[in-house]
Amino acid sequence: MDRIRITGGAQLNGTIPISGAKNAALPLMIAALLSDQPLILENVPRLADVVQLQRILGNHGVDITTAGKRAGQKGHGETLQISASHIVDTTAPYELVSKMRASFWVIAPLLARMGEARVSLPGGCAIGTRPVDLLIMALEKLGAELEIDAGYVIARAPKGLRGGEINFPKVTVSGTHTALMAATLAHGTTVIDNAAREPEVVDLADCLNKMGAKISGAGTSRIVIDGVSRLHGAHHTVLPDRIETGTYAMAAAMAGGDVMLQGARSELLQTGLDTLVQAGAKITTTNEGIRVQRNGAGIAPVTVTTEPFPGFPTDLQAQLMALMTRAGGQSRITETIFENRFMHVQELARFGAQIRLDGDAAIIDGVPQLKGAPVMATDLRASVSLVIAALAAEGETIVHRVYHLDRGFERLEEKLSACGAHVERLSS
């Protein structure tokens, strides 16, 4: 199993290209199931989760061809042509779905287009229960008949889905993605209230509209979908990854230096950038991307609560905590989105970090110096928090179980090394 070795103490100076957003690419790939014509996606990141979803879609009979970056193409990822002209199987089996939670979302387009789906209850990161009850509720509001049998959700709509009122009791990105996809082919109008406002939801709606859907209000808490009889093919570019942007911005703030995050868009992450400014970093938005500098100034403590967009993202909580371990004072980070998302605390403590938990909050007392240590990744975002800590730690750090990193960060060692970090992958 691969490991990553990091020798801390080097500043980061240079350019880091920001990849396409994983959290946008996955639902966009799944949306290809809604049409019998090809969907072409540009700027798809090269990640383990993308590869796994390709296997899952292939199980349904989807044909996916890959091309590299072509001349004049924006972004740095791959171009996928996804053709679901013939769906051969409406079952998504446990052995595939259990490896990635987002793959459960195939239930929506399969049900909308084929009138049936049989999908295993999901697996994925161990950061709380992350139940699918809101997704099931949304499909039932659209007239689906659902039952759970032997670990599978069996959904039927033999006469097609019909428009309905979906009012989510709490903001859910996965629920909003599911409802959006299902409603595009439903008979009549669907209204989603308390919808997630995340940029990845907007990106999905934009792509679906290119495919012939009639969606308005994406990016607000009320989305209206007028169902259509069929969708056609389209060409769409995945938006830049705001979580990767925030992660490398925090890495630059931690190590010090001057880094240009090429292709990043500040409007996708304004709250996170504002937090970094409070912490002492200088943030400049340019036509090229976002420039992050911290030269000489110390790291200031912050108080942050994770919230749905446009609030501070839960997917940057672990990275911010790593940064705050070196702050000159006490910080407090409250996690409101996922329970059990503080598993990185005990690993950060191995660097000498001073962190204590108080219910859904972590209190971090900054220390003058961290020391390198062997550490173990517990989930995707937690794993990169250990990398951030290691960049500023004295001596050598070995990060184990880096397959978590490979799920969400494209070419991490290459991008950091290009800016002067001492990072290398050790293959077993």
Side-chain angles (χ1 to χ4, degrees), residues 141-142 161-165 186-190:
K141 294 289 187 181
L142 300 179
L161 296 172
R162 60 179 184 274
E165 300 271 344
H187 304 292
T189 299
T190 297

Side-chain angles (χ1 to χ4, degrees), residues 65-338:
T65 57
T66 305
K69 186 173 183 291
R70 66 173 191 268
Q73 178 182 327
K74 294 182 179 180
H76 304 271
E78 297 176 319
T79 297
L80 299 184
Q81 178 168 304
I82 309 171
S83 176
S85 56
H86 300 288
I87 294 177
V88 300
D89 193 344
T90 56
T91 294
Y94 170 78
E95 58 269 22
L96 293 176
V97 179
S98 63
K99 296 179 181 178
M100 187 176 62
R101 176 164 295 270
S103 58
F104 182 80
W105 302 343
V106 300
I107 193 171
L110 288 174
L111 181 63
R113 181 175 162 196
M114 306 299 292
E116 63 179 23
R118 180 174 176 267
V119 181
S120 171
L121 289 167
C125 285
I127 54 170
T129 56
R130 303 174 83 174
V132 297
D133 56 342
L134 296 182
L135 286 68
I136 291 173
M137 178 272 284
L139 295 175
E140 287 178 333
K141 294 289 187 181
L142 300 179
E145 302 169 359
L146 291 107
E147 62 177 305
I148 297 177
D149 181 53
Y152 281 78
V153 177
I154 301 169
R156 299 182 182 89
K159 296 182 179 179
L161 296 172
R162 60 179 184 274
E165 300 271 344
I166 301 171
N167 191 340
F168 287 117
K170 64 178 181 180
V171 175
T172 163
V173 175
S174 59
T176 304
H177 280 321
T178 303
L180 264 181
M181 286 189 274
T184 56
L185 295 180
H187 304 292
T189 299
T190 297
V191 178
I192 307 173
D193 279 315
N194 201 25
R197 299 162 60 190
E198 271 69 6
E200 296 80 14
V201 170
V202 178
D203 207 35
L204 175 61
D206 287 346
C207 180
L208 290 171
N209 280 339
K210 290 178 184 177
M211 296 170 70
K214 296 181 178 178
I215 302 168
S216 60
T220 75
S221 59
R222 183 180 174 87
I223 301 176
V224 179
I225 308 103
D226 292 317
V228 297
S229 59
R230 65 186 300 270
L231 297 179
H232 52 69
H235 199 128
H236 184 77
T237 301
V238 180
L239 87 172
D241 196 321
R242 63 192 174 102
I243 303 304
E244 187 189 39
T245 299
T247 296
Y248 287 123
M250 290 180 192
M254 183 61 139
D258 186 342
V259 174
M260 172 59 71
L261 304 176
Q262 186 181 60
R265 287 166 44 189
S266 60
E267 74 273 15
L268 304 180
L269 190 67
Q270 196 57 58
T271 303
L273 297 177
D274 291 345
T275 301
L276 277 173
V277 171
Q278 294 173 27
K282 181 181 179 182
I283 306 291
T284 309
T285 300
T286 73
N287 290 335
E288 186 180 354
I290 298 171
R291 185 179 180 187
V292 183
Q293 299 165 279
R294 189 179 71 81
N295 295 304
I299 298 169
V302 299
T303 298
V304 164
T305 298
T306 63
E307 297 175 316
F309 189 84
F312 189 90
T314 180
D315 280 353
L316 285 176
Q317 178 254 105
Q319 296 91 311
L320 179 64
M321 188 181 297
L323 177 62
M324 289 300 101
T325 62
R326 290 285 314 283
Q330 186 177 92
S331 303
R332 183 182 183 94
I333 301 175
T334 303
E335 173 60 58
T336 67
I337 307 299
F338 293 125

